[in-house]
Amino acid sequence: MEWIKKGVLFRPTGEFAHSQSHAQVPFAFPTEEALRIYFSTRDANGRSRPSFLEVSYDNIQDVRYVHDQAVMDLGGPGEYDETGAMPSWFVPQPNGDIWLYYTGWSLTRESYRLSIGLAVSHDGGLTFKKMYRGSIMDRSLHNPIWAAQPSVMYDNGTYRMWYISGRRCEYIHGYPEPFYDCRHAESKDGIHWTPTGHVAIELDDFNHAVGRPSVYIEDGLYKMIYSYRNAWDYRTDRNRSYRLGYAESKDGLTWERKDDLVGIGKSDHPDDMDYEMINYAHRFTVKDKTYLIYNGNKFGTTGIGLAELVKK
């Protein structure tokens, strides 16, 4: 792969109460009139909620509309998403509904807890409501710390999920830093999930955290673009911070990392939005062109970046 960066597609201006900063974990969803890009944005108290913008199919860089409110609210006191709801993957249903798999945030005494929730839209994606008060995947025997950021696919009669699984936390410079890999789960109905135990992207001497998988099928293979980082000083050292990786699989269970083929990396210019880190990417194709939307420095503070795949 070889990607040409097109620059910053969008960055919140702070004009809306629900969107004072950040445009994290972007996802491109096609509608009849425009390409809608959902993202997670934060209010003045740092609470994340999903919202969206729309771009023209004829010119992806043409932002035609920015929604003026969140499309989903947070959970109630004690619920798994009481301090944040971060969209991850959107799955259209045969009846016209849209299912949203998202990450719910809940602060703990020393750190935070992440869980995977499911919401539904009956109005074409303008609003979403939780389908259940409880999460569909949480900490468990399979996920000791937490579960989050799923990539979901309906594949030959089975729902398949690749998600990040918190394995442990270690205090580094006095802060509990999580270590998490990428794992696989399956479901017959998209609601009740069974972890398969397969580790898609494992941890190693450098890779201590795998961020937001984006899985697709191409050329008869399962392919994944993901982000990964080290645990030490990744917030301040660009050599340890998030970068993008790439992997392939014949069955979606056993993956071979081919990070050198991802075709895109951090900028070499200190003023660019992705000089410190590049992460949380979503790959999609519209009108025979393939794009990547992603985040950069400070986990999405600098907005959404856009890149186009070079055809060879």
Side-chain angles (χ1 to χ4, degrees), residues 122-133:
H122 303 300
D123 57 10
L126 296 178
T127 61
F128 287 85
K129 291 190 178 298
K130 290 165 61 171
M131 291 178 64
Y132 305 97
R133 178 165 288 179

Side-chain angles (χ1 to χ4, degrees), residues 26 212 226-228 242-244 277-282 293-300:
R212 204 271 183 91
Y226 56 94
S227 47
Y228 66 103
Y242 273 120
R243 72 281 319 275
L244 295 182
M277 59 178 67
I278 183 170
N279 46 32
Y280 310 149
H282 179 224
I293 46 178
Y294 59 90
N295 290 135
N297 306 341
K298 296 179 175 60
F299 316 99

Side-chain angles (χ1 to χ4, degrees), residues 43 45-49 74-76 79-85 103-108 112-114:
D43 63 18
N45 294 315
R47 295 173 298 194
S48 297
R49 294 178 179 85
L74 303 182
E79 296 183 17
Y80 68 93
D81 52 357
E82 65 177 336
T83 53
T103 301
W105 287 71
S106 179
L107 298 180
T108 65
Y112 55 89
R113 180 173 178 174
L114 306 180

Side-chain angles (χ1 to χ4, degrees), residues 149-189:
Q149 295 302 336
S151 175
V152 179
M153 178 188 302
Y154 188 67
D155 185 21
N156 293 320
T158 299
Y159 283 91
R160 308 185 73 179
M161 175 192 292
W162 296 265
Y163 68 99
I164 58 176
S165 175
R167 310 314 299 167
R168 68 183 191 275
C169 276
E170 293 183 10
Y171 278 95
I172 299 175
H173 304 313
Y175 187 82
E177 294 287 4
F179 290 64
Y180 41 94
D181 58 18
C182 179
R183 302 203 166 211
H184 179 263
E186 293 184 352
S187 171
K188 288 300 182 182
D189 59 8

Side-chain angles (χ1 to χ4, degrees), residues 58-117:
D58 296 324
N59 180 6
I60 300 297
Q61 294 177 269
D62 177 21
V63 178
R64 297 168 46 178
Y65 172 75
V66 179
H67 202 45
D68 61 358
Q69 55 190 304
V71 299
M72 178 179 168
D73 208 350
L74 303 182
E79 296 183 17
Y80 68 93
D81 52 357
E82 65 177 336
T83 53
M86 183 177 288
S88 183
W89 214 262
F90 296 75
V91 180
Q93 299 298 309
N95 65 354
D97 288 347
I98 303 171
W99 285 10
L100 165 58
Y101 293 88
Y102 70 99
T103 301
W105 287 71
S106 179
L107 298 180
T108 65
R109 179 178 178 181
E110 299 292 338
S111 182
Y112 55 89
R113 180 173 178 174
L114 306 180
S115 309
I116 298 174

Side-chain angles (χ1 to χ4, degrees), residues 139-151:
R139 66 169 59 153
S140 65
L141 292 174
H142 301 281
N143 309 303
I145 304 299
W146 40 250
Q149 295 302 336
S151 175

